[in-house]
Amino acid sequence: MTPVSSKLYTDDVSLLMVLIDTNPYLWSSMKNTAFTFSKFLSHVLAFLNSILLLNQMNQVVVIATGYNSCDYVFDSSSSSMQRAECLLEKLEEFVDKDETLSQEDSVDGVGFSLLSGSLSMALCYIQRVFRTGPLHPQPRILCLHGSPDGPGQYVAVMNAIFSAQRSMVPIDSCVIGSQHSAFLQQASYITGGVYLKPQVSDGLFQYLSTVFATDLHSRAFLQLPRPVGVDFRASCFCHKNTIDMGYICSVCLSIFCKHHKKCSTCGSNFGEARKQDPSASGQRRKTPDGS
Amino acid sequence: MADGKVVKRAKYKSSVKDPGVPGVLKLTKERFFFMPNDPTSTTKLNVEFKLIKGHRSSKEGSSKQALLNLMHDQGRSYIFEFDSFPDRDKCREFVASAIAACGEVVKAASEKPAVPHDEQLSAAEMGRRIKLLQDNSELQKLHRQLVIGGILSEAEFWAARKKLLEQGDIKKPKQRVALKNDMWSVKPLSDGQTNRVTFNLTPEVIHQIFAEKPAVRQAYLKFVPGKMSEKEFWTKYSRAEYLHSTKNIVAAAAEAAEDEELAVFLKQDDMLAFEARKKIRRVDPTLDMEADEGDDYMHLPDHGLPLDETKEILEPQYEPFKRSFSQYLNQHAAVVLRGRVIDVELGDTRSVAEAFTRTNQAELAAEVSDESAYRERIAKVSRVAEIEDLQGPHEPPVALLSIKDPRDYFDSQQANAIKALGDGGTGTRQLKFNVSKEDAFCSLKNSISEINSQGLTEPIISPEVALKVLNGLSQNISSTKYHLGKNPHESVLDRLPSATKDELLLHWTSIQELLKHFWSSYPITAKYFYTKVTRLKDAMSQIYPKLQEIKESVQSDFRHQVSLLVQPMLQALDAAFAHYDADIQKRSAKSGERPNGFA
């Protein structure tokens, strides 16, 4: 392990972790539009090259976010994968592997790619660089994501977001799908990254190079797109309506839009403030008053 | 009577059967006084006629007393017996006219309209209002605008702020004087020539003695009226104190043997000992007294207090007469800390003693009834001092949490997010999309191999598209730069010119105030409310064009933001106007004739 003191601290060297969405269902669904995966790739490859050209010591790592798995497909620091061809080769291998892992024959809708997995891998990689490499770069994560948010991954994604926030790694997100991603909006908001949903998908490269190419130090001097607003409002558990004000179970923090006698999530009984219900005393959330 | 005053001899009685207190009854136009002949008597009266609701008198007859009964508002009555009937009748006439006069005043007050009016304000109330206005410049501005501008009356304005007034009005209880912290040590004043020793006892000192020495108190109650006079008692007590101060225990014991009353003072205080035992029982049983053993002063005799007590070995018979200084100190400290528990004039020694006894008994009674506290203590002992190995674990009763599949929730969340954020129809169209696994992966691989064989497209991006993107981005950035909520700490108001900001805020507060009064006047039940509402409506319609002015006066950059801010104000005003108009219409429809087509 390189001692911290001997590390090279610079403010303009970036470690860019790029997560590309390789959800096959997503790209199949986008075949009808002019923006295909090959087009996407060519824009991304050009962008990666420009990053590497910006600073000799810049490092780019690409992680493929698949449908069933995630993997590193490119690392500019390793001698074996220096060229773009390597990336494509690795990507093909990855897609093959991802296909074999797939169990369902078809998916309803677009399906979800494993954003939580690739985010975690990116964070792990950053930690490794922090602890071992000779450089102390300014790391950031760029999610090129198109799949809708997988509700099952909510907790994992949020955990990843919070660890990124802790290690001061901004998560930039560029949403290439047709819908906004609430996960990534929150990720960028919490970690101080940039959330962008390009209006012109053909101009992806322009977006990437304008918004996401600059290192973190230079960002301070730039006026980057800001989120119009992140919707943090919660939805009630009973009707799934987004509400401004509601009732919260004091045991499990479930949210309801109206008063219930019993929490539908954890089964706690909500007593009236004064009414004593001896049968439910064990579950009562209120402490017995004074007696 | 001509000078509005009647003075007669009379006896005051609390009931007809009562023998009565002789004294002088003095009647004036507003009130009557009764001064008993005996100046020490407590039955002085000073009652306003306002509070007297009626009067009765006994029938004239030789065998009957000449009584006048003044009935108090709250059911009490004052009965006076006069020496003669003419006296009584004179008083009765006066009282009748006085009550009538007062009644008129009261009636006049109550006849004033029930709506808030400019009542006579007490100086304190006025002061409070002025202070509030001084403290709160915003309120002051509002006050100036609405009250001095004649839109609201003073009373209306403050009626909405009763709470604010009351807040400042929480009167602090008068500070009570605690006991003096110096110990009364008897400093005998001896004149040096004779053998006389003088002690100075003030009521304050007696109070302290009673508080610190329950036995003396008890002895006082026991002996004083019957067995000896107050002076004798205190002489005896002083003598005992003097004996103590000489530290001659043997002499004290000898004296005590001769005089049993004196013995009470000389012996150790049994009641104190009893109380001390009780206190010790109340100490937390887990308190480790030995932990203090290492404290430095412990090796000093008598806790490090300068010791001048004689160190002689005493025979056991003298033991009860020994008194340690630290005991006395502790008792004094306890009394001082407890503070003044009784609330009696210090002059009367006996009542002080009795008051002490009463409080003590109350405390005892409270303690006896506090059986549950004792049980709790026992439980605590067993809990704290238990042998851990032999006890089962004390776990708080826990309800198991049974969380249903959270996926349900997040699934619906997702749908909501799409609903809220989605770009219209595309989202829903995509969800119906269905493709087989092979097809999907195949097309993906094709795309990769395609780019592998063809290389990057040349050029990657057409100049037109790039320009479009750049234009879009810069437009987006410049618009979101001023977007609300970009930074939670910075509101759009901060970016407005300060004059505009102040003006907007002032208008907003005054609109709020006006609307509060406006809506609280509904439903209109009295004419007063009607005029008030009309007044308020006129005031609000004056603000309307002012808001418009502000909107137009600001620079074009801010105009949008200002109009966003002004919008809710206008809406609130519009709602009020609409309600006003609807109400007017309803009233006119009700009062006027129904239109023809109305069935």
Side-chain angles (χ1 to χ4, degrees):
Chain A
M1 183 170 170
T2 322
V4 177
S5 54
S6 72
K7 282 200 175 190
L8 191 59
Y9 280 88
T10 44
D11 56 14
D12 57 348
V13 175
S14 308
L15 163 59
L16 181 63
M17 311 292 302
V18 182
L19 317 182
I20 52 173
D21 195 345
T22 62
N23 179 0
Y25 304 105
L26 167 77
W27 291 111
S28 306
S29 75
M30 289 183 51
K31 250 197 300 198
N32 301 331
T33 64
F35 195 63
T36 59
F37 188 60
S38 54
K39 242 187 182 155
F40 167 74
L41 270 185
S42 65
H43 283 238
V44 172
L45 283 176
F47 170 66
L48 297 183
N49 283 330
S50 50
I51 292 281
L52 291 173
L53 286 170
L54 269 174
N55 191 308
Q56 206 182 350
M57 287 192 284
N58 272 359
Q59 189 188 345
V60 172
V61 177
V62 180
I63 299 172
T65 311
Y67 185 74
N68 300 296
S69 60
C70 312
D71 205 358
Y72 300 100
V73 288
F74 179 73
D75 186 346
S76 64
S77 69
S78 74
S79 50
S80 61
M81 334 195 251
Q82 284 280 352
R83 294 170 53 81
E85 287 84 353
C86 302
L87 189 150
L88 296 174
E89 219 171 273
K90 275 273 210 176
L91 195 59
E92 255 181 321
E93 280 172 36
F94 169 77
V95 173
D96 277 335
K97 208 174 78 192
D98 202 30
E99 188 177 3
T100 56
L101 285 168
S102 188
Q103 281 170 13
E104 309 129 17
D105 268 343
S106 73
V107 172
D108 197 21
V110 179
F112 316 113
S113 55
L114 279 174
L115 175 65
S116 56
S118 56
L119 267 179
S120 310
M121 286 175 86
L123 286 167
C124 289
Y125 190 94
I126 288 168
Q127 285 302 318
R128 201 182 75 198
V129 170
F130 274 170
R131 291 169 196 209
T132 58
L135 262 175
H136 191 97
Q138 305 289 319
R140 62 182 198 267
I141 298 173
L142 171 61
C143 293
L144 299 170
H145 205 73
S147 308
D149 297 336
Q153 298 176 44
Y154 177 78
V155 176
V157 169
M158 283 322 264
N159 284 339
I161 290 171
F162 290 128
S163 10
Q165 184 193 23
R166 238 185 100 81
S167 32
M168 313 239 279
V169 178
I171 300 177
D172 300 327
S173 6
C174 180
V175 174
I176 43 188
S178 52
Q179 352 164 328
H180 279 280
S181 158
F183 285 179
L184 289 176
Q185 271 190 333
Q186 296 204 17
S188 300
Y189 181 84
I190 292 169
T191 58
V194 180
Y195 175 88
L196 181 74
K197 185 177 177 307
Q199 301 300 313
V200 191
S201 50
D202 278 342
L204 179 66
F205 174 76
Q206 192 60 52
Y207 283 108
L208 290 174
S209 53
T210 314
V211 180
F212 300 108
T214 44
D215 58 88
L216 292 182
H217 182 70
S218 316
R219 258 187 207 192
F221 312 107
L222 292 179
Q223 194 70 252
L224 291 173
R226 296 192 168 278
V228 169
V230 183
D231 189 4
F232 289 115
R233 279 185 308 167
S235 306
C236 67
F237 281 42
C238 39
H239 305 91
K240 321 292 181 195
N241 295 326
T242 308
I243 52 170
D244 292 314
M245 214 184 276
Y247 297 86
I248 287 190
C249 171
S250 51
V251 176
C252 68
L253 301 181
S254 304
I255 302 154
F256 304 102
C257 60
K258 58 181 188 191
H259 184 261
H260 288 255
K261 285 208 174 102
K262 196 173 169 180
C263 174
S264 63
T265 309
C266 69
S268 303
N269 283 316
F270 303 141
E272 294 294 321
R274 274 181 219 93
K275 208 177 77 189
Q276 281 284 329
D277 187 1
S279 67
S281 59
Q283 299 182 333
R284 280 178 63 81
R285 63 218 166 93
K286 292 207 38 130
T287 50
D289 27 25
S291 61
Chain B
M1 190 145 168
D3 55 339
K5 212 157 105 184
V6 170
V7 183
K8 293 280 173 223
R9 282 186 175 285
K11 282 186 194 164
Y12 168 67
K13 303 170 156 200
S14 54
S15 70
V16 182
K17 299 270 175 350
D18 194 10
V21 184
V24 176
L25 179 67
K26 191 165 135 192
L27 303 170
T28 69
K29 267 184 182 151
E30 284 90 23
R31 46 181 66 233
F32 66 89
F33 308 90
F34 179 75
M35 293 294 287
N37 290 342
D38 179 7
T40 59
S41 168
T42 54
T43 52
K44 284 176 196 161
L45 289 178
N46 179 358
V47 182
E48 282 183 55
F49 274 121
K50 231 196 288 185
L51 302 171
I52 299 298
K53 65 170 189 234
H55 63 102
R56 272 187 218 152
S57 51
S58 60
K59 272 191 191 135
E60 210 164 323
S62 54
S63 62
K64 285 183 182 146
Q65 302 163 316
L67 295 178
L68 178 66
N69 185 356
L70 301 177
M71 280 165 296
H72 193 264
D73 226 354
Q74 283 145 5
R76 277 183 62 193
S77 61
Y78 306 98
I79 302 173
F80 298 99
E81 189 193 331
F82 293 86
D83 293 348
S84 65
F85 281 99
D87 275 2
R88 201 273 317 268
D89 291 339
K90 214 168 185 185
C91 283
R92 192 183 60 186
E93 275 166 37
F94 189 87
V95 165
S97 65
I99 291 176
C102 282
E104 267 164 35
V105 173
V106 171
K107 223 180 265 169
S110 61
E111 263 171 14
K112 281 190 190 175
V115 294
H117 51 81
D118 283 336
E119 76 269 59
Q120 278 291 309
L121 285 172
S122 64
E125 174 76 11
M126 209 61 216
R128 241 183 288 147
R129 288 181 182 182
I130 289 168
K131 189 168 181 303
L132 257 181
L133 286 181
Q134 277 168 351
D135 290 351
N136 191 340
S137 67
E138 226 167 85
L139 199 64
Q140 196 181 2
K141 229 184 263 173
L142 206 59
H143 183 261
R144 199 183 308 143
Q145 193 193 339
L146 297 181
V147 177
I148 298 172
I151 296 162
L152 290 171
S153 76
E154 180 91 17
E156 279 166 359
F157 184 78
W158 289 109
R161 288 190 170 64
K162 272 207 181 98
K163 268 221 180 101
L164 218 58
L165 283 171
E166 275 160 15
Q167 258 172 11
D169 195 31
I170 299 165
K171 281 211 180 91
K172 286 180 191 128
K174 217 175 105 197
Q175 192 176 9
R176 295 206 296 177
V177 188
L179 286 173
K180 269 195 212 154
N181 199 13
D182 57 341
M183 287 163 70
W184 181 69
S185 49
V186 190
K187 285 269 162 52
L189 303 169
S190 109
D191 51 11
Q193 290 165 6
T194 59
N195 268 342
R196 266 172 68 160
V197 177
T198 319
F199 285 92
N200 260 334
L201 284 175
T202 63
E204 183 70 30
V205 171
I206 289 172
H207 177 229
Q208 203 177 343
I209 291 171
F210 279 162
E212 283 179 28
K213 297 174 180 168
V216 175
R217 189 179 69 224
Q218 212 178 23
Y220 177 86
L221 285 176
K222 211 164 99 188
F223 298 143
V224 164
K227 239 178 164 179
M228 55 180 96
S229 76
E230 183 152 352
K231 197 169 175 211
E232 276 170 1
F233 176 84
W234 289 117
T235 316
K236 224 163 223 183
Y237 174 75
S238 307
R239 186 171 168 70
E241 279 301 314
Y242 178 68
L243 279 172
H244 271 300
S245 67
T246 58
K247 305 274 186 302
N248 191 345
I249 290 168
V250 180
E255 290 252 4
E258 282 171 25
D259 189 342
E260 72 174 286
E261 279 105 44
L262 195 62
V264 172
F265 303 134
L266 291 174
K267 276 193 187 165
Q268 275 177 11
D269 200 323
D270 280 342
M271 284 169 79
L272 272 188
F274 173 68
E275 260 176 46
R277 271 200 298 280
K278 215 163 58 195
K279 272 183 203 153
I280 287 172
R281 246 180 284 141
R282 244 183 300 165
V283 170
D284 188 342
T286 57
L287 187 67
D288 189 1
M289 301 283 268
E290 281 181 17
D292 282 346
E293 204 135 57
D295 283 0
D296 194 35
Y297 60 83
M298 288 300 283
H299 68 271
L300 295 167
D302 213 0
H303 303 277
L305 291 165
L307 191 74
D308 51 359
E309 273 175 50
T310 42
K311 265 269 172 285
E312 34 186 319
I313 294 146
L314 288 166
E315 289 167 48
Q317 71 200 46
Y318 299 125
E319 194 58 32
F321 299 99
K322 212 177 103 184
R323 222 192 266 186
S324 96
F325 179 67
S326 52
Q327 239 172 26
Y328 182 35
L329 184 68
N330 277 341
Q331 173 66 10
H332 174 77
V335 167
V336 168
L337 283 180
R338 188 134 52 105
R340 211 173 273 266
V341 287
I342 59 159
D343 207 9
V344 180
E345 286 285 317
L346 286 181
D348 189 5
T349 317
R350 187 165 181 82
S351 67
V352 169
E354 274 167 352
F356 267 119
T357 317
R358 267 200 304 280
T359 46
N360 260 32
Q361 272 163 356
E363 270 169 34
L364 275 180
E367 235 154 83
V368 168
S369 69
D370 213 12
E371 190 65 19
S372 66
Y374 173 73
R375 228 174 279 137
E376 200 176 291
R377 222 161 35 239
I378 295 285
K380 194 177 168 197
V381 174
S382 67
R383 202 166 57 239
V384 177
E386 76 188 5
I387 301 167
E388 277 157 23
D389 311 5
L390 301 180
Q391 300 279 337
H394 281 283
E395 270 167 27
V398 174
L400 281 176
L401 206 60
S402 58
I403 303 224
K404 287 197 298 191
D405 188 6
R407 200 166 294 231
D408 276 2
Y409 174 68
F410 296 121
D411 274 335
S412 64
Q413 272 292 71
Q414 179 62 26
N416 270 336
I418 291 165
K419 237 192 289 164
L421 303 163
D423 310 357
T426 46
T428 46
R429 184 176 56 79
Q430 274 206 350
L431 284 176
K432 290 188 194 100
F433 171 83
N434 202 337
V435 79
S436 75
K437 179 183 89 178
E438 284 79 20
D439 285 354
F441 279 101
C442 204
S443 73
L444 195 63
K445 276 185 279 189
N446 283 343
S447 299
I448 297 168
S449 51
E450 188 186 325
I451 190 171
N452 219 347
S453 58
Q454 290 180 359
L456 302 182
T457 45
E458 189 72 43
I460 296 169
I461 187 165
S462 69
E464 291 81 25
V465 175
L467 181 68
K468 208 169 135 195
V469 168
L470 283 172
N471 278 338
L473 268 178
S474 51
Q475 220 166 44
N476 180 329
I477 289 166
S478 63
S479 76
T480 50
K481 195 173 145 193
Y482 294 110
H483 198 280
L484 264 169
K486 165 188 86 171
N487 181 352
H489 305 295
E490 189 186 358
S491 79
V492 76
L493 272 177
D494 295 332
R495 268 179 264 117
L496 295 176
S498 65
T500 317
K501 180 184 160 190
D502 289 348
E503 213 173 339
L504 273 175
L505 282 177
L506 178 66
H507 280 307
W508 177 233
T509 45
S510 58
I511 287 173
Q512 269 184 317
E513 181 72 18
L514 289 171
L515 285 174
K516 205 156 68 184
H517 283 284
F518 179 82
W519 290 109
S520 66
S521 310
Y522 280 97
I524 293 174
T525 48
K527 186 144 191 323
Y528 164 78
F529 284 121
Y530 182 74
T531 51
K532 183 181 172 184
V533 161
T534 317
R535 210 153 18 107
L536 289 169
K537 192 214 135 209
D538 291 344
M540 286 193 291
S541 43
Q542 276 166 18
I543 294 183
Y544 215 95
K546 276 190 209 152
L547 289 175
Q548 210 66 33
E549 258 171 55
I550 295 178
K551 222 161 47 166
E552 276 155 21
S553 67
V554 291
Q555 293 168 18
S556 56
D557 305 5
F558 299 120
R559 196 162 295 162
H560 179 62
Q561 259 97 48
V562 171
S563 69
L564 279 181
L565 284 173
V566 166
Q567 194 58 32
M569 306 188 203
L570 295 181
Q571 276 172 356
L573 289 176
D574 283 338
F577 292 148
H579 187 84
Y580 179 81
D581 290 341
D583 196 68
I584 291 286
Q585 227 156 41
K586 219 162 58 184
R587 286 170 157 269
S588 63
K590 219 185 273 174
S591 59
E593 283 177 14
R594 294 193 164 170
N596 269 343
F598 210 88

